[in-house]
Amino acid sequence: QSALTQPASVSGSPGQSITISCTGTSSDVGGYNYVSWYQQHPGKAPKFMIYDVSNRPSGVSNRFSGSKSGNTASLTISGLQAEDEADYYCSSYTTSSTWVFGGGTKLTVL
Amino acid sequence: QLQLQESGPGLVKTSETLSLTCTVSGGSVSSSNYNWGWVRQPPGKGLEWIGSISYSESTHYNPSLKSAVTLSVDTSKNHFSLKVNSVTAADTAVYYCARLSRWGDLYYFDNWGRGALVTVSS
């Protein structure tokens, strides 16, 4: 299985909104509404941020939102804050009953 | 509060077997509410799903790793384990163990260990 495609980096200023894309195929992102997103700060374990494309676990800020169109899922962070600077990974369930991650996107808050 | 802790050798020789254990505290590996899994991250690179195991020891593996990987659960010790056979330098990574909980229709990685760096070298 091939990794999902994410931009290597995105950036934004405090208070702005940014969107990170995650492109797969009809065998993963496009075939299921089972996309999740993880936030990872340097040297730390990933943190579960979004599931089922657009749902937030309890405790995750409502500044984080997810969506999907066709084979591409997106994570939007509104009202950017300095602590949002991190790496972000998408993940999708696949037709093989497995999981695949994206390559990761480094978010820089300017 | 649930805690997961990876343990095992930090250095493994090429062609040998990498073995890691994830000890669970504040929860039970025999609970039917959860699955357990492993994800690795080569230095400076992205996450790679290795595999998952249920409380009933049903397993799913990354197809690219399937022939080399074995997951198991030991309910008496409340831990689960990963073995990777015939390792090469490409298996050098931080290995994370994680719990999968049911959110909506599926189980997602919602609680992670701190990770253990394993270096493969001759």
Coordinates of all heavy atoms in Angstrom, one line a residue, chain B residues 63-113:
Chain B
P63 N 0.7 -5.0 4.7 CA 1.1 -6.0 3.7 C 2.6 -6.0 3.3 O 3.2 -7.0 3.0 CB 0.3 -5.6 2.5 CG -0.9 -4.9 3.0 CD -0.4 -4.2 4.2
S64 N 3.2 -4.8 3.4 CA 4.6 -4.7 3.1 C 5.5 -5.3 4.1 O 6.7 -5.5 3.9 CB 5.0 -3.2 2.8 OG 4.9 -2.5 4.0
L65 N 5.0 -5.5 5.3 CA 5.8 -6.0 6.4 C 5.3 -7.4 6.9 O 6.0 -8.0 7.7 CB 5.7 -5.1 7.6 CG 6.2 -3.6 7.4 CD1 5.8 -2.8 8.7 CD2 7.6 -3.6 7.1
K66 N 4.2 -7.9 6.3 CA 3.5 -9.0 6.9 C 4.4 -10.2 7.1 O 4.3 -10.9 8.1 CB 2.3 -9.4 6.0 CG 1.4 -10.5 6.5 CD 0.2 -10.6 5.7 CE -0.8 -11.7 6.3 NZ -2.0 -11.8 5.5
S67 N 5.2 -10.5 6.2 CA 6.0 -11.8 6.3 C 7.0 -11.7 7.4 O 7.6 -12.7 7.8 CB 6.7 -12.1 4.9 OG 7.6 -11.0 4.6
A68 N 7.3 -10.5 7.9 CA 8.4 -10.4 8.9 C 7.9 -10.1 10.3 O 8.7 -10.1 11.2 CB 9.4 -9.3 8.4
V69 N 6.6 -9.7 10.4 CA 6.1 -9.2 11.6 C 5.2 -10.2 12.3 O 4.4 -10.9 11.7 CB 5.3 -7.9 11.4 CG1 4.6 -7.4 12.6 CG2 6.3 -6.8 10.9
T70 N 5.3 -10.3 13.7 CA 4.3 -11.0 14.5 C 3.9 -10.2 15.7 O 4.8 -9.7 16.4 CB 5.0 -12.3 15.0 OG1 5.4 -13.1 13.9 CG2 3.9 -13.2 15.8
L71 N 2.6 -10.1 15.9 CA 2.1 -9.4 17.1 C 1.5 -10.5 18.0 O 0.9 -11.5 17.5 CB 1.0 -8.4 16.8 CG 1.4 -7.3 15.8 CD1 0.2 -6.2 15.8 CD2 2.7 -6.6 16.2
S72 N 1.6 -10.3 19.3 CA 1.0 -11.2 20.3 C 0.5 -10.4 21.5 O 1.0 -9.3 21.7 CB 2.0 -12.3 20.7 OG 3.1 -11.7 21.3
V73 N -0.3 -11.0 22.3 CA -0.8 -10.5 23.5 C -0.6 -11.5 24.7 O -0.8 -12.7 24.5 CB -2.3 -10.1 23.4 CG1 -2.9 -9.7 24.8 CG2 -2.6 -9.0 22.4
D74 N -0.2 -11.0 25.8 CA 0.0 -11.8 27.0 C -0.9 -11.2 28.1 O -0.5 -10.2 28.8 CB 1.5 -11.8 27.4 CG 1.7 -12.8 28.5 OD1 0.8 -13.1 29.3 OD2 2.9 -13.3 28.6
T75 N -2.0 -11.8 28.3 CA -3.0 -11.2 29.3 C -2.5 -11.4 30.7 O -2.8 -10.6 31.6 CB -4.4 -11.9 29.1 OG1 -4.2 -13.3 29.2 CG2 -5.0 -11.6 27.8
S76 N -1.7 -12.4 30.9 CA -1.2 -12.7 32.3 C -0.2 -11.6 32.8 O -0.1 -11.3 33.9 CB -0.5 -14.0 32.4 OG 0.7 -14.1 31.6
K77 N 0.5 -11.0 31.8 CA 1.4 -9.9 32.1 C 0.9 -8.5 31.7 O 1.5 -7.5 31.9 CB 2.7 -10.2 31.4 CG 3.4 -11.4 31.8 CD 4.8 -11.6 31.1 CE 5.4 -12.9 31.6 NZ 6.7 -13.2 30.9
N78 N -0.3 -8.5 31.2 CA -1.0 -7.3 30.7 C 0.0 -6.5 29.8 O 0.1 -5.3 29.9 CB -1.4 -6.4 31.9 CG -2.6 -5.5 31.5 OD1 -3.5 -6.0 30.8 ND2 -2.6 -4.3 32.0
H79 N 0.5 -7.2 28.8 CA 1.3 -6.5 27.8 C 1.1 -7.2 26.4 O 0.5 -8.3 26.3 CB 2.8 -6.5 28.2 CG 3.5 -7.8 28.1 ND1 4.6 -8.0 28.9 CD2 3.4 -8.8 27.3 CE1 5.1 -9.2 28.6 NE2 4.4 -9.7 27.6
F80 N 1.5 -6.5 25.4 CA 1.5 -7.0 24.0 C 2.8 -6.8 23.4 O 3.6 -5.9 23.8 CB 0.3 -6.5 23.2 CG 0.3 -5.0 23.0 CD1 0.7 -4.4 21.8 CD2 -0.2 -4.1 24.0 CE1 0.6 -3.0 21.6 CE2 -0.3 -2.8 23.8 CZ 0.2 -2.2 22.6
S81 N 3.1 -7.6 22.4 CA 4.5 -7.6 21.8 C 4.6 -7.5 20.3 O 3.6 -7.9 19.6 CB 5.2 -8.9 22.3 OG 5.3 -8.9 23.7
L82 N 5.7 -7.1 19.9 CA 6.0 -7.0 18.4 C 7.3 -7.7 18.2 O 8.3 -7.6 18.9 CB 6.2 -5.5 18.0 CG 6.8 -5.3 16.7 CD1 5.9 -5.7 15.5 CD2 7.2 -3.8 16.6
K83 N 7.4 -8.6 17.1 CA 8.6 -9.2 16.7 C 8.7 -8.9 15.2 O 7.8 -9.0 14.4 CB 8.6 -10.7 16.9 CG 8.7 -11.1 18.4 CD 8.9 -12.6 18.5 CE 8.9 -13.0 20.0 NZ 10.0 -12.4 20.8
V84 N 9.9 -8.4 14.8 CA 10.3 -8.2 13.4 C 11.5 -9.0 13.1 O 12.5 -8.9 13.7 CB 10.5 -6.7 13.1 CG1 10.8 -6.5 11.6 CG2 9.4 -5.8 13.5
N85 N 11.3 -10.0 12.1 CA 12.4 -10.9 11.8 C 13.3 -10.3 10.7 O 12.9 -9.4 9.9 CB 11.8 -12.2 11.3 CG 11.0 -12.9 12.3 OD1 11.3 -12.9 13.5 ND2 9.9 -13.5 11.8
S86 N 14.5 -10.8 10.7 CA 15.5 -10.5 9.7 C 15.6 -9.0 9.4 O 15.5 -8.6 8.2 CB 15.2 -11.3 8.4 OG 15.0 -12.6 8.6
V87 N 15.9 -8.2 10.4 CA 15.9 -6.8 10.3 C 17.1 -6.3 9.4 O 18.2 -6.9 9.4 CB 15.9 -6.1 11.6 CG1 14.6 -6.4 12.4 CG2 17.1 -6.5 12.5
T88 N 16.9 -5.1 8.8 CA 17.9 -4.4 8.1 C 18.0 -3.0 8.6 O 17.1 -2.6 9.4 CB 17.6 -4.4 6.6 OG1 16.5 -3.5 6.3 CG2 17.3 -5.8 6.0
A89 N 18.9 -2.2 8.1 CA 19.0 -0.8 8.5 C 17.7 0.0 8.3 O 17.4 0.9 9.0 CB 20.1 -0.1 7.8
A90 N 16.9 -0.5 7.3 CA 15.6 0.2 7.0 C 14.6 0.0 8.1 O 13.6 0.8 8.2 CB 15.0 -0.3 5.7
D91 N 14.8 -0.9 9.1 CA 13.9 -1.1 10.2 C 14.3 -0.2 11.4 O 13.6 -0.2 12.4 CB 13.9 -2.5 10.6 CG 13.4 -3.4 9.6 OD1 12.2 -3.2 9.1 OD2 14.1 -4.4 9.1
T92 N 15.4 0.6 11.2 CA 15.7 1.6 12.3 C 14.6 2.6 12.4 O 14.3 3.3 11.4 CB 17.1 2.3 11.9 OG1 18.1 1.3 12.0 CG2 17.4 3.4 12.9
A93 N 14.1 2.8 13.6 CA 12.9 3.7 13.7 C 12.6 3.9 15.2 O 13.1 3.1 16.1 CB 11.7 3.2 13.0
V94 N 11.8 4.9 15.5 CA 11.1 4.9 16.8 C 9.8 4.1 16.6 O 9.0 4.3 15.7 CB 10.7 6.4 17.2 CG1 9.9 6.4 18.4 CG2 12.0 7.2 17.4
Y95 N 9.7 3.1 17.5 CA 8.5 2.3 17.5 C 7.6 2.7 18.6 O 7.9 2.8 19.8 CB 9.0 0.8 17.7 CG 9.6 0.2 16.5 CD1 10.9 0.5 16.2 CD2 8.9 -0.7 15.7 CE1 11.5 0.0 15.0 CE2 9.5 -1.2 14.5 CZ 10.8 -0.8 14.2 OH 11.4 -1.4 13.1
Y96 N 6.3 3.0 18.2 CA 5.3 3.4 19.1 C 4.3 2.2 19.3 O 3.8 1.6 18.3 CB 4.5 4.6 18.6 CG 5.2 5.9 18.5 CD1 5.8 6.3 17.3 CD2 5.4 6.7 19.6 CE1 6.5 7.5 17.2 CE2 6.1 7.9 19.6 CZ 6.6 8.3 18.3 OH 7.3 9.5 18.3
C97 N 3.9 1.9 20.5 CA 2.7 1.1 20.8 C 1.5 2.0 21.1 O 1.7 3.1 21.5 CB 3.0 0.1 21.9 SG 3.2 0.8 23.5
A98 N 0.4 1.5 20.8 CA -0.8 2.3 20.9 C -2.1 1.5 21.2 O -2.1 0.3 20.8 CB -1.0 3.2 19.7
R99 N -3.0 2.1 21.9 CA -4.3 1.5 22.0 C -5.2 2.0 20.9 O -5.2 3.1 20.5 CB -4.9 1.9 23.4 CG -6.2 1.2 23.7 CD -6.9 1.8 25.0 NE -7.4 3.2 24.8 CZ -8.0 3.9 25.7 NH1 -8.1 3.3 26.9 NH2 -8.5 5.1 25.4
L100 N -6.1 1.1 20.5 CA -7.1 1.5 19.5 C -8.5 1.4 20.2 O -8.8 0.3 20.8 CB -7.1 0.6 18.3 CG -5.9 0.7 17.4 CD1 -4.8 -0.3 17.8 CD2 -6.3 0.5 15.9
S101 N -9.2 2.4 20.2 CA -10.6 2.4 20.8 C -11.6 2.6 19.7 O -11.3 3.2 18.6 CB -10.7 3.6 21.8 OG -9.8 3.5 22.9
R102 N -12.8 2.2 20.0 CA -13.9 2.4 19.0 C -14.4 3.8 19.0 O -14.9 4.3 20.1 CB -15.0 1.4 19.3 CG -16.0 1.3 18.1 CD -17.0 0.2 18.3 NE -17.8 0.0 17.1 CZ -17.6 -1.0 16.3 NH1 -16.6 -1.8 16.5 NH2 -18.3 -1.2 15.2
W103 N -14.3 4.5 17.9 CA -14.8 5.8 17.7 C -15.7 5.7 16.5 O -15.2 5.5 15.4 CB -13.7 6.8 17.5 CG -12.9 7.0 18.7 CD1 -11.8 6.3 19.1 CD2 -13.1 8.0 19.7 NE1 -11.3 6.8 20.3 CE2 -12.0 7.9 20.7 CE3 -14.0 9.1 19.9 CZ2 -11.9 8.7 21.8 CZ3 -13.9 9.9 21.0 CH2 -12.8 9.7 22.0
G104 N -17.0 5.8 16.6 CA -17.9 5.6 15.5 C -17.9 4.1 15.1 O -18.1 3.3 15.9
D105 N -17.6 3.9 13.8 CA -17.7 2.5 13.3 C -16.4 1.7 13.5 O -16.4 0.5 13.3 CB -18.0 2.5 11.8 CG -19.5 3.0 11.6 OD1 -20.3 2.9 12.5 OD2 -19.7 3.5 10.5
L106 N -15.3 2.4 13.7 CA -14.0 1.8 13.7 C -13.1 2.0 14.9 O -13.5 2.8 15.8 CB -13.2 2.3 12.5 CG -13.4 1.7 11.1 CD1 -12.3 2.2 10.1 CD2 -13.4 0.2 11.2
Y107 N -12.0 1.3 15.0 CA -11.1 1.5 16.1 C -9.9 2.4 15.6 O -9.4 2.1 14.5 CB -10.5 0.1 16.5 CG -11.5 -0.8 17.3 CD1 -12.4 -1.5 16.6 CD2 -11.5 -0.8 18.6 CE1 -13.3 -2.3 17.3 CE2 -12.4 -1.6 19.4 CZ -13.3 -2.3 18.7 OH -14.2 -3.1 19.3
Y108 N -9.7 3.4 16.3 CA -8.6 4.3 16.0 C -7.5 4.4 17.1 O -7.8 4.1 18.2 CB -9.2 5.8 15.8 CG -10.1 6.0 14.6 CD1 -11.4 5.8 14.7 CD2 -9.5 6.4 13.4 CE1 -12.3 6.0 13.6 CE2 -10.4 6.6 12.3 CZ -11.7 6.4 12.4 OH -12.5 6.6 11.3
F109 N -6.3 4.8 16.7 CA -5.2 4.9 17.6 C -5.4 6.1 18.5 O -5.2 7.3 18.0 CB -3.9 5.1 16.9 CG -3.4 3.8 16.1 CD1 -3.7 3.6 14.8 CD2 -2.7 2.8 16.8 CE1 -3.2 2.5 14.1 CE2 -2.3 1.7 16.2 CZ -2.6 1.5 14.8
D110 N -5.9 6.0 19.7 CA -6.3 7.2 20.5 C -5.4 7.4 21.7 O -5.5 8.4 22.4 CB -7.7 7.1 20.9 CG -8.1 6.1 21.9 OD1 -7.3 5.1 22.1 OD2 -9.1 6.2 22.5
N111 N -4.5 6.4 22.0 CA -3.6 6.6 23.1 C -2.3 5.9 22.8 O -2.3 4.7 22.5 CB -4.3 5.9 24.4 CG -3.8 6.5 25.6 OD1 -2.6 6.5 25.9 ND2 -4.7 7.0 26.5
W112 N -1.2 6.7 22.9 CA 0.1 6.2 22.4 C 1.1 6.1 23.5 O 1.1 6.9 24.5 CB 0.6 7.2 21.3 CG -0.2 7.3 20.1 CD1 -1.5 7.7 20.0 CD2 0.2 7.0 18.8 NE1 -2.0 7.7 18.7 CE2 -0.9 7.3 17.9 CE3 1.3 6.5 18.2 CZ2 -0.9 7.1 16.6 CZ3 1.4 6.4 16.8 CH2 0.3 6.6 16.0
G113 N 2.1 5.2 23.4 CA 3.2 5.2 24.2 C 4.2 6.3 23.8 O 4.0 7.0 22.8

